Amino acid sequence: MPYCPRCGVEIEDRLTSCPLCDTYIPQEVRDLDNIQRDYPEDVVKPKPMYRELTKKEKRFLITGLIAFIGLFPIAISIGLDLLQHRAITWSFFVTVPMIGSMLISWFFYRFGKRPLISVTVCLLILFIINLLIEMRTETYLGFLSGSMNFFLLIFLIIEILLFYIVKRRPNVLQLLGAIFLDTALICMGLNWFISSNLTWSLIILVCNTGITVYLSYMNRTKKRGLNIIGFLFFDIAVFLWCLELVISGKMNWSIVTTLIFIPISLLFYVLHITLFNDTDWKKALHL
Amino acid sequence: MSHEFEFRLDNAAKIFAAQHSKRRTTMFRLSADLDAPINLKRLTTAYEHMLVRCPYYRVQLRRGLFWYYIEPCKTKAHVEAESRYPCMYIPFKRRGMLPFRVLAYKNRVIFEVAHLITDGTGALNFLNGIILEYLRLSGHIIDSQEQVLDCEKPLDPDEFEESFTKQYEKGIPSPSRVDRSYQIKGKGFHAPKFNIIEGIMDSAALKKEAMRYDVTIGEFLTALLIDTCQNEMYEHSLLKRPIRISIPINLRKIFPSKTMRNFALTVEPGIDPRLGHFSFEDVIRKVQQFMKMELDHRFIKRQIARNVGSEKNPFVRILPLWLKDPILKRFYEVFGSITFTMSFSNLGRVELPEGMHPFVKSYQFIPPPHRKKVSATSIAYDGKTSVLFGSTIDNRSVEQRFFSRLRKMGIHVTIRTNGSE
C-alpha cells in the first residue's frame, strides 16, 4: 500500500490522493508494489470510427439544422410572394409561424428538461404570433380584449399547473386533482369573459372541487378500505348541498340527501374502523 | 407470537423516534468481514432464524395518540446489496418497515439498525448471532459459549426488559445543565452523503502508547480527540468554547441487565480552553479523572432520573404525539447536539467464541450521521483497532490531525475511505 508523504499514513491502492489531506500520490508511487501485474492489453477498446462530438459542437449542429429547416420554406415563400406581388402579402402568414416554430424547437431542445422555461417561452411565442397576425389582419382590439383575454387566461392557468407539477412532483391522483381544479378555473374565466358574471361555471367548479377533494383524500389516506366508500358518500352529500346552494340559493332537497348519505358514510367508517382495522387501541392510546 | 413483550418504547428510543429524518437517520452500522465470500441464500436463512430468535427486533413503529409504540410485524427477512453511503434513511414510520437492514458485500456482513430498538452492544450481539448461525448453516460446528446470541437457545424474557425504568429512582437530583460547546466548522453535506474515514492500527502499539500515560485505550483516544479539537479551535476559531466529547456508556457493565434494547447513556469529558491552553498530558489527566468520577452508578442514576423523570411528567405525557414530536426534535437540536463537540463510541474489544474466531477477519463500526458534525467510533478485534470518523461536513482537518498525531507517536495507521478519490 502506498504512503501519503504528508500524513504518513498508508492508503488504499485505488485512491489517487490522500483522503485526509488531498495530497496527490503519483501513479508510479501507487504502482510500486504492483509492477509485476500484467496489463490486460485485450481490454483496450478499439478506436471508434467517428470522433464523438463535444457538447458545443452538438449544440451548434442542432441549431444549424433547425435554422436550415425553418429558413428554407421562409425563403421560398417570400421569394414567390415577391415575384407575384412585388410585396410581402401572404408570405407573412408563413414567415411569422415558421420563425415562431424555429424558436420553439430550439427552446425545447435547449431547455426541454426544464419545462417551466420551455413551456413558458412556447406560450409567449404563441402569444406574440397571435398578436402579430391580429395586427396584420387588423382584428386587434387591444391588449385585454378579444382573443387576448382568452389567451392570457389559458396562459396563466397552464403556468399555475406547470409550476405545481415542477415544484411538487405530484403523483397521478394529485395530478388528476390539479387538472380538475385547473379546468374549473378556465371555465370560470371563460364564463366571466363571455357574460361578465359567473353562472354555469360555478356548477362546474362545485363538481370539479368535489372530485379533487375525493382524489386528495384517496391520496392522503394511508390505509384504503371501506373508508374510501364512506368518504365518497360524504363527498356526494356535501357536493349536492353546494350544488343546490349554487342553483337556487337555498337548501331544500339537499337536506334530504344529506340525511340519507351522511349515515351511510358513517356506517362505512364504523365498519372500516371496527372490522378491518388491526389497531390495538389499548396500545395506541397508552399514556 | 408466543411472547407478549413490552410495546412501549424505551426511554432513549422516544428521543430517537422523534429525531428520525432523512438528514439525521439515527441509523448506525456494524459490519464484519468473513474469510470467504458471502452465500446470500444462507445468510438470508440465518437472518430469518435470528428474527425468530429475537422477536423483540421484528417490530414496526406505530403512532399512538400520545406516544409511538412498537408492534410485532411479519415482514420477511431479505438481505440487501451494499449502498453507496452507509447508514442511509429507512422510512420505518411506515407500516411493515423493519427499523434495520442486513446487507452483504463480497465477504462482508453488514447490520444497519436504528437506535430506536437497540444500542451498539445489542446490535453487535445480533450481528454475531447472525454470523454464528451463518457459519453453522455452512456446516461448521460451533459452541456459542454464552458469548453471542444463539438461535438454538430459548428466548430469555430479560432480553426485552426496559432497564432504564427498572433503574429509575424517584427524587434523585438531576445533573447540572451544560452550556454550548465548540462546534467543528465546515460546510454541511446534503443527505445521504456521509464521509467515512477509517484508520486501522495495531492494538498492541496503541496500548503501549496508552500505558505510557497509565490510561486505557478509550481514555487515550478520547484525550487525543479533545487535543485535536483544541488545536483545530486555536487555528480556525476566534471564539473559544468548551470542548466536550460525548461518549456513550454501556450501562450493562454498571447495572445488572441482559437487555437487548437500548441501555446506554452518554458522559461528556472535556476541557474549557477559555481557562488557558491544556497540554496533552493535562487533557489525559482530565479525561481520566472525569471518567473515574462519572462512571459511578450513583452519578449515572442522576441522568436516568432526569431522562425517565421527564418522560413521566404528566404535562409531557398528556401532550398529543403530533405536538410532542416536533417539540422533542427541536429540543434536542437546541439543547442536545450543541452541548458536545463530537461523539466517540467505543465498543471496545469484540469477544467471540473460539470456534468463530478463524472465520471472522475484522469488524467495522460506523456511527449515525449527525447534522453538520463529526462522529468517531472505535472497535478492536484480532489485534487490530479500527478508529472510524463519520462526517457530514467537508472539513477533514480533525481526521487528518488525529491520524497524523498517531503516526508521529510511531503507530502505523492504514486509512480506508468510502470516497472515490
Side-chain angles (χ1 to χ4, degrees):
Chain A
M1 277 188 186
Y3 271 91
C4 166
R6 197 168 158 208
C7 306
V9 295
E10 276 184 318
I11 63 162
E12 291 171 275
D13 292 330
R14 66 183 179 89
L15 300 175
T16 54
S17 57
C18 173
L20 297 173
C21 62
D22 285 333
T23 302
Y24 176 69
I25 296 160
Q27 187 69 40
E28 307 87 68
V29 178
R30 282 185 280 133
D31 283 348
L32 273 179
D33 60 340
N34 300 334
I35 284 169
Q36 287 153 346
R37 280 187 205 161
D38 292 329
Y39 186 75
E41 284 177 13
D42 54 339
V43 173
V44 178
K45 284 180 188 169
K47 207 176 173 185
M49 197 177 285
Y50 298 108
R51 177 174 69 85
E52 203 168 306
L53 296 175
T54 61
K55 228 175 188 178
K56 204 176 172 185
E57 286 169 336
K58 267 185 198 168
R59 200 177 294 166
F60 185 76
L61 193 76
I62 289 171
T63 309
L65 204 70
I66 291 170
F68 177 75
I69 293 169
L71 290 175
F72 192 65
I74 291 172
I76 291 172
S77 55
I78 289 177
L80 285 173
D81 200 15
L82 284 175
L83 271 175
Q84 278 178 336
H85 305 101
R86 305 233 170 244
I88 291 174
T89 54
W90 57 268
S91 62
F92 179 85
F93 301 103
V94 177
T95 309
V96 171
M98 278 309 289
I99 293 172
S101 316
M102 276 161 57
L103 288 172
I104 288 169
S105 314
W106 189 83
F107 269 100
F108 267 97
Y109 155 68
R110 190 74 181 80
F111 301 102
K113 285 178 185 167
R114 295 161 76 183
L116 212 56
I117 296 175
S118 51
V119 175
T120 308
V121 171
C122 168
L123 288 170
L124 278 173
I125 291 169
L126 288 174
F127 176 72
I128 294 165
I129 293 172
N130 186 39
L131 194 73
L132 288 172
I133 289 173
E134 277 195 355
M135 283 174 140
R136 180 80 178 179
T137 52
E138 292 174 358
T139 52
Y140 180 63
L141 298 170
F143 188 68
L144 283 172
S145 57
S147 64
M148 288 296 150
N149 272 337
F150 297 109
F151 190 88
L152 283 172
L153 173 73
I154 290 166
F155 177 80
L156 195 73
I157 303 292
I158 289 176
E159 279 299 303
I160 291 170
L161 183 66
L162 198 66
F163 195 77
Y164 172 71
I165 293 169
V166 171
K167 293 290 167 197
R168 299 296 297 268
R169 305 256 169 207
N171 57 29
V172 180
L173 291 174
Q174 288 171 321
L175 185 66
L176 275 173
I179 290 170
F180 273 110
L181 215 58
D182 238 30
T183 318
L185 288 175
I186 290 178
C187 292
M188 283 172 77
L190 289 175
N191 191 359
W192 183 260
F193 291 139
I194 292 165
S195 51
S196 296
N197 58 9
L198 298 174
T199 49
W200 52 270
S201 62
L202 279 180
I203 297 169
I204 294 175
L205 179 73
V206 170
C207 293
N208 286 14
T209 311
I211 296 168
T212 307
V213 169
Y214 186 66
L215 290 171
S216 167
Y217 179 79
M218 272 179 72
N219 177 52
R220 277 178 175 269
T221 189
K222 283 174 187 162
K223 215 164 57 174
R224 290 174 201 164
L226 288 176
N227 56 339
I228 296 286
I229 306 171
F231 190 78
L232 180 70
F233 280 103
F234 173 75
D235 202 33
I236 292 171
V238 176
F239 159 69
L240 293 173
W241 188 65
C242 294
L243 198 67
E244 200 188 2
L245 268 180
V246 166
I247 294 168
S248 56
K250 55 189 176 186
M251 285 166 68
N252 285 325
W253 52 265
S254 64
I255 293 173
V256 181
T257 52
T258 307
L259 285 172
I260 295 167
F261 285 133
I262 294 289
I264 296 173
S265 162
L266 282 174
L267 178 72
F268 275 107
Y269 267 103
V270 169
L271 281 175
H272 173 71
I273 290 168
T274 52
L275 297 179
F276 304 103
N277 198 331
D278 59 350
T279 302
D280 185 338
W281 293 104
K282 192 185 152 197
K283 289 179 186 177
L285 298 174
H286 82 275
L287 263 169
Chain B
M1 188 139 314
S2 56
H3 297 276
E4 190 57 42
F5 54 82
E6 180 61 56
F7 63 87
R8 289 174 175 86
L9 292 183
D10 59 64
N11 180 260
K14 280 177 177 150
I15 297 276
F16 288 121
Q19 283 170 30
H20 175 251
S21 67
K22 280 188 181 171
R23 190 176 262 192
R24 181 154 163 62
T25 62
T26 69
M27 304 281 296
F28 63 95
R29 168 187 283 209
L30 268 159
S31 62
D33 284 344
L34 303 190
D35 64 331
I38 302 296
N39 180 317
L40 272 183
K41 210 173 165 185
R42 223 177 286 151
L43 182 64
T44 311
T45 315
Y47 178 23
E48 185 63 51
H49 289 180
M50 274 307 281
L51 285 184
V52 175
R53 166 66 180 78
C54 307
Y56 41 83
Y57 283 165
R58 198 178 209 161
V59 290
Q60 58 182 340
L61 189 71
R62 296 287 305 270
R63 285 180 78 95
L65 185 63
F66 304 103
W67 296 105
Y68 286 105
Y69 61 96
I70 46 176
E71 202 174 60
C73 73
K74 289 171 184 162
T75 306
K76 283 189 176 172
H78 73 277
V79 177
E80 296 173 34
E82 169 68 307
S83 51
R84 172 72 182 87
Y85 291 106
C87 310
M88 275 166 67
Y89 176 75
I90 295 183
F92 55 72
K93 286 183 185 176
R94 280 194 207 152
R95 277 198 169 201
M97 291 296 287
L98 292 172
F100 55 87
R101 54 165 89 95
V102 171
L103 306 105
Y105 174 69
K106 290 182 181 176
N107 55 348
R108 182 176 293 179
V109 185
I110 300 155
F111 180 52
E112 282 189 351
V113 56
H115 238 313
L116 177 85
I117 55 163
T118 190
D119 53 15
T121 311
L124 184 64
N125 275 338
F126 190 80
L127 175 70
N128 285 338
I130 292 179
I131 296 169
L132 174 68
E133 189 60 14
Y134 174 80
L135 293 173
R136 278 178 178 167
L137 289 171
S138 308
H140 305 288
I141 299 160
I142 301 167
D143 181 18
S144 66
Q145 295 173 346
E146 303 284 325
Q147 282 180 325
V148 291
L149 274 179
D150 193 337
C151 282
E152 288 168 4
K153 299 262 165 74
L155 171 68
D156 184 351
D158 288 345
E159 286 175 20
F160 49 86
E161 74 164 19
E162 218 287 55
S163 296
F164 285 113
T165 318
K166 201 178 165 188
Q167 297 302 333
Y168 170 65
E169 277 177 36
K170 212 174 172 183
I172 293 179
S174 297
S176 51
R177 271 206 19 226
V178 285
D179 55 346
R180 198 187 167 96
S181 67
Y182 168 68
Q183 302 295 312
I184 298 160
K185 303 277 181 294
K187 195 182 163 200
F189 293 138
H190 289 289
K193 192 169 178 184
F194 189 34
N195 257 11
I196 302 297
I197 293 180
E198 184 190 15
I200 298 159
M201 59 209 82
D202 193 37
S203 298
L206 201 60
K207 188 163 187 181
K208 196 178 157 193
E209 194 60 32
M211 287 307 285
R212 271 185 56 206
Y213 299 97
D214 198 21
V215 288
T216 62
I217 292 179
E219 286 166 351
F220 173 75
L221 292 174
T222 309
L224 193 58
L225 281 172
I226 293 173
D227 200 33
T228 307
C229 291
Q230 183 181 221
N231 293 341
E232 172 76 10
M233 188 179 71
Y234 272 103
E235 204 155 297
H236 293 292
S237 181
L238 291 170
L239 192 67
K240 289 191 183 70
R241 283 192 189 281
I243 295 166
R244 290 191 206 95
I245 307 289
S246 168
I247 302 177
I249 300 296
N250 178 14
L251 298 186
R252 293 168 191 86
K253 287 182 181 170
I254 299 169
F255 302 105
S257 172
K258 282 184 191 171
T259 188
M260 288 284 284
R261 300 171 75 185
N262 280 305
F263 195 38
L265 279 175
T266 58
V267 292
E268 289 169 1
I271 55 166
D272 194 344
R274 290 173 297 189
L275 307 176
H277 186 268
F278 285 75
S279 69
F280 183 54
E281 184 94 16
D282 294 339
V283 178
I284 279 195
R285 293 295 151 239
K286 284 267 165 213
V287 171
Q288 193 183 25
Q289 284 161 13
F290 183 90
M291 296 304 257
K292 260 187 193 157
M293 192 176 75
E294 285 290 319
L295 294 189
D296 185 282
H297 66 98
R298 282 156 290 211
F299 275 75
I300 294 290
K301 279 204 172 177
R302 291 198 312 175
Q303 278 204 56
I304 295 178
R306 180 192 58 194
N307 297 351
V308 180
S310 52
E311 179 196 319
K312 287 185 182 291
N313 185 323
F315 291 108
V316 176
R317 288 167 74 175
I318 205 76
L319 217 58
L321 186 63
W322 56 270
L323 263 175
K324 209 177 303 183
D325 223 18
I327 291 172
L328 274 176
K329 195 173 183 174
R330 194 82 197 116
F331 194 83
Y332 178 79
E333 276 170 18
V334 174
F335 300 107
S337 64
I338 58 159
T339 57
F340 60 91
T341 308
M342 61 184 289
S343 68
F344 174 52
S345 308
N346 182 11
L347 264 187
R349 203 169 70 230
V350 181
E351 303 279 1
L352 287 181
E354 273 172 30
M356 275 176 80
H357 214 270
F359 303 105
V360 184
K361 295 293 160 203
S362 63
Y363 278 90
Q364 195 185 47
F365 177 28
I366 301 181
H370 277 80
R371 187 175 168 267
K372 286 184 84 175
K373 259 200 193 307
V374 181
S375 310
T377 64
S378 157
I379 190 165
Y381 175 73
D382 198 23
K384 294 279 176 198
T385 299
S386 148
V387 179
L388 186 143
F389 287 86
S391 163
T392 49
I393 54 172
D394 61 356
N395 180 5
R396 281 166 295 169
S397 54
V398 170
E399 291 95 312
Q400 202 251 334
R401 282 170 198 275
F402 180 84
F403 288 122
S404 292
R405 279 286 292 277
L406 283 174
R407 194 64 198 86
K408 280 173 194 163
M409 289 171 183
I411 299 166
H412 282 271
V413 183
T414 306
I415 297 291
R416 294 198 299 188
T417 175
N418 67 340
S420 53
E421 280 176 25

